[in-house]
Amino acid sequence: GRAGLSRAEPPARDGRSGTEEEEEEEEGCYQLYPGHIPTSPLQKALLAAGSAFMALYDPYRHDMVAVLGETTGCLALPNLRDKMKHHPEGYRILQERPHIRFSTLNMSKLRGLPDGSLGREYVRFLEDNKVSPDTRMPPKFVDDEELAYVIQRYREVHDLMHTLLGMPTNMLGEVVVKWFEAVQTGLPMCVLGAVFGPIRLSARKLQVLATELVPWAIRSGRNASCILNVYYEQRWEQPVESLREEIGIFPPP
């Protein structure tokens, strides 16, 4: 009887058993950042396959595109992180962790900037295409807190790529941006979108894409410096043409 009592778990102060507390602590230690969902390699493979199928079926399922990017970026994300770490501006972004959202943007100030400036043209892009920076999903399946920020940053500057490349949010514009981002980032999700996105385009648009837009996007992607190494929040007043030239993006055709 004494031996049995010695093995009994003491009651927790809040009424929970010691086993329940240990389970909660064990679950918590695996959550690397708010919203993180730990997954095994097999689970990631299944998520990647399912999200790829849904993204190809409906390219506007941004949630599926996001899952695909997280579950297939195991090689590209560390490479992007290293590029940021070895660049003064990119390293500062990694340290300060800025976010592009309506809560962090002074929209009235950006609207008051001169035409042609990055801030004014970015706001114009958001309003003309009726898109919001707040729709970018936070990462869930990236098993590294720093890499999770890298993919979040990539998502938040995606609309700025549209602005710099002069591309709308229709399917043609998205495919062009994906070709540029595929060359720049090496993310399999971007490659998939660039290759299979044109399936839904008309013959005339396919011709323009193949003869003019894709060659330009590839050349610009190869020539440009890493797009994640630009602290865009501190460049709102810079002319778009000047920033294109600085990054190495050729003028749009």
Side-chain angles (χ1 to χ4, degrees):
R2 286 194 298 272
L5 288 173
S6 67
R7 290 195 301 268
E9 295 179 355
R13 293 181 181 178
D14 57 1
R16 294 174 297 173
S17 69
T19 304
E20 289 175 343
E21 287 185 331
E22 288 175 4
E23 288 176 353
E24 289 181 5
E25 289 176 1
E26 186 176 355
E27 290 176 359
C29 73
Y30 287 109
Q31 192 175 45
L32 303 175
Y33 50 86
H36 174 233
I37 301 176
T39 48
S40 67
L42 176 60
Q43 289 172 320
K44 281 186 172 60
L46 294 173
L47 284 168
S51 59
F53 174 80
M54 289 304 301
L56 290 174
Y57 178 76
D58 182 2
Y60 292 101
R61 282 292 303 270
H62 299 298
D63 55 339
M64 293 294 97
V65 175
V67 172
L68 181 62
E70 295 175 29
T71 53
T72 60
C74 55
L75 297 178
L77 290 177
N79 183 47
L80 288 171
R81 187 260 317 272
D82 292 344
K83 287 182 179 179
M84 295 179 73
K85 282 189 171 181
H86 292 90
H87 187 276
E89 204 162 335
Y91 181 75
R92 193 152 57 87
I93 292 169
L94 278 179
Q95 295 299 306
E96 299 179 7
R97 304 286 179 90
H99 287 282
I100 301 176
R101 298 170 182 153
F102 276 138
S103 60
T104 64
L105 297 173
N106 188 336
M107 296 298 289
S108 59
K109 180 179 179 181
L110 295 181
R111 288 191 187 97
L113 292 174
D115 289 341
S117 64
L118 177 65
R120 183 68 190 92
E121 297 308 317
Y122 174 63
V123 171
R124 197 190 311 277
F125 168 83
L126 295 178
E127 294 174 343
D128 289 350
N129 293 278
K130 297 179 174 58
V131 294
S132 166
D134 292 351
T135 59
R136 301 301 170 190
M137 292 180 58
K140 297 178 181 178
F141 302 109
V142 179
D143 295 329
D144 182 285
E145 187 270 340
E146 193 171 45
L147 297 182
Y149 175 76
V150 171
I151 197 166
Q152 180 69 20
R153 183 65 176 176
Y154 156 74
R155 290 172 183 169
E156 292 179 359
V157 304
H158 175 74
D159 290 334
L160 283 160
M161 293 306 100
H162 277 274
T163 304
L164 287 171
L165 296 171
M167 290 294 128
T169 57
N170 58 22
M171 186 55 64
L172 181 64
E174 289 292 350
V175 169
V176 174
V177 173
K178 279 292 178 285
W179 273 104
F180 175 82
E181 292 177 341
V183 175
Q184 268 279 306
T185 67
L187 286 167
M189 174 265 297
C190 296
V191 177
L192 191 68
V195 172
F196 291 99
I199 291 175
R200 298 171 179 265
L201 296 177
S202 65
R204 183 179 62 84
K205 290 182 178 179
L206 280 173
Q207 183 179 5
V208 174
L209 187 71
T211 59
E212 297 182 28
L213 296 177
V214 168
W216 164 73
I218 292 175
R219 284 193 302 112
S220 291
R222 288 176 175 172
N223 187 65
S225 57
C226 180
I227 56 175
L228 297 184
N229 286 337
V230 180
Y231 211 138
Y232 298 97
E233 297 89 330
Q234 299 179 358
R235 306 292 196 99
W236 295 131
E237 298 180 4
Q238 185 172 353
V240 169
E241 291 185 3
S242 169
L243 186 55
R244 279 182 190 149
E245 185 177 350
E246 179 184 335
I247 295 175
I249 298 173
F250 298 114

